[in-house]
């Protein structure tokens, strides 16, 4: 690995992230400050400022690392062998049946323990 690849965030990256956060805060403030204006215009302006904030953040080292992580994650998801519809239905049914069986067993176990407790404490006839 070269030193440049392992270098941490610089001061300029911090400034970029602060600027992106500032743009986002200004956008949110403006959205509520201009409440008398059309909702459509305010939403469009908020989306535009949010997009600008994301664009600024993506120019920093942490932003580029986040983008790279997203690209790598998408590549890994493409490698996954997804189950067929039939496999999914069968697995779901097995889980449902097992949950029902376990629920019934726990209910019976609870009834037996409650009967023993009532017998030991002399309650319930």
């Amino acid at each position: 690995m070269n030193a440049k690849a392992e270098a941490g965030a610089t001061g300029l990256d911090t400034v970029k992230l602060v600027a992106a956060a500032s743009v986002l805060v200004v956008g949110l403030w403006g959205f509520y400050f201009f409440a008398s204006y059309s909702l459509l215009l305010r939403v469009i302006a908020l989306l535009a400022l949010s997009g600008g904030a994301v664009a600024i953040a993506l120019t920093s080292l942490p932003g580029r690392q986040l983008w790279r992580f997203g690209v790598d994650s998408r590549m890994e998801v493409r490698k996954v062998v997804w189950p067929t519809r039939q496999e999914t239905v069968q697995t779901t049914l097995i889980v449902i049946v097992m949950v029902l069986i376990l629920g019934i067993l726990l209910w019976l176990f609870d009834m037996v323990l409650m009967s023993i407790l009532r017998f030991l404490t002399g309650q319930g006839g």
Side-chain angles (χ1 to χ4, degrees):
M1 298 259 170
N2 62 25
K4 187 174 182 180
E6 295 180 6
T10 64
L12 182 59
D13 288 332
T14 305
V15 170
K16 289 178 185 178
L17 292 175
V18 168
S22 300
V23 168
L24 190 60
V25 168
V26 166
L28 288 170
W29 174 81
F31 180 81
Y32 291 108
F33 184 77
F34 295 109
S36 61
Y37 288 89
S38 167
L39 178 63
L40 178 63
L41 292 176
R42 292 186 300 143
V43 168
I44 290 172
L46 181 60
L47 288 174
L49 288 173
S50 298
V54 168
I56 293 169
L58 287 177
T59 62
S60 68
L61 179 63
R64 288 190 302 270
Q65 288 173 341
L66 180 65
W67 183 262
R68 188 74 214 155
F69 175 76
V71 169
D72 291 343
S73 297
R74 187 172 177 202
M75 199 174 353
E76 289 298 321
V77 166
R78 289 181 182 163
K79 294 178 184 178
V80 172
V81 178
W82 297 101
T84 64
R85 182 178 177 88
Q86 181 183 4
E87 292 171 337
T88 304
V89 169
Q90 288 174 346
T91 305
T92 303
L93 289 176
I94 290 171
V95 168
I96 290 171
V97 168
M98 291 306 297
V99 166
L100 287 173
I101 290 171
L102 189 60
I104 291 169
L105 287 174
L106 288 174
W107 175 63
L108 290 173
F109 186 66
D110 182 55
M111 284 181 49
V112 168
L113 287 178
M114 195 57 119
S115 298
I116 293 171
L117 184 65
R118 282 189 187 134
F119 175 75
L120 291 175
T121 59
Q123 296 178 355

